[in-house]
Amino acid sequence: MSQIIVAVAGVIVSGFIVWWFFGHHQVATVAAEVQGQTQSVDVKVLGGYSPERVVLKQGVPAVLNFTREDPSSCLDRVVFPDFGINQALPQGETEAIKIDTSKPGEYTWACGMDMFHGQLVIE
Ligand SMILES: [Cu+2]
């Protein structure tokens, strides 16, 4: 009897683990709206980044508008290592960050301490 309980509990636990790793990763994603010759996405900086994942169209000049509402100095810079961008984000202001969309791929951005992350997809 106890073996059955252990087996059932094992199935439940492994089901939970599968759900946690494969089902839980719904990241808020926004695809840029292309207007004329440019595309832009607004990113709010408050306890992290929202959206956390931004999809841009390749070859269309792009601007990410980062608005930092978070008072923590942790988020006072945003870094795009693949693009050589390290931009200060004064609290309460919107900073327009131009992204070179010539090369498709998946890139990341992070706060100055590499604690909070976002994902940039160019396709
Ligand atoms: Cu940080």
Side-chain angles (χ1 to χ4, degrees):
M1 182 61 193
S2 64
Q3 282 174 324
I4 294 172
I5 292 171
V6 168
V8 168
V11 168
I12 290 169
V13 167
S14 49
F16 177 79
I17 290 169
V18 167
W19 169 81
W20 182 262
F21 278 101
F22 299 103
H24 193 68
H25 278 267
Q26 286 286 353
V27 178
T29 301
V30 167
E33 264 183 52
V34 178
Q35 287 178 322
Q37 287 304 302
T38 60
Q39 56 185 336
S40 66
V41 172
D42 297 333
V43 179
K44 186 165 92 170
V45 182
L46 182 60
Y49 302 101
S50 68
E52 233 181 308
R53 189 168 180 267
V54 168
V55 180
L56 300 176
K57 271 214 170 62
Q58 187 197 353
V60 179
V63 174
L64 301 183
N65 297 307
F66 278 78
T67 305
R68 175 179 158 228
E69 296 176 11
D70 201 300
S72 156
S73 63
C74 174
L75 289 156
D76 68 359
R77 299 195 80 83
V78 66
V79 180
F80 289 79
D82 302 296
F83 298 86
I85 295 168
N86 186 330
Q87 172 73 50
L89 300 175
Q91 191 187 356
E93 290 177 29
T94 300
E95 290 290 327
I97 296 172
K98 286 188 184 137
I99 301 292
D100 172 8
T101 60
S102 57
K103 285 197 188 108
E106 297 209 358
Y107 307 95
T108 56
W109 77 77
C111 73
M113 304 148 199
D114 205 26
M115 290 156 64
F116 289 98
H117 301 96
Q119 198 184 14
L120 178 64
V121 179
I122 299 172
E123 59 184 25

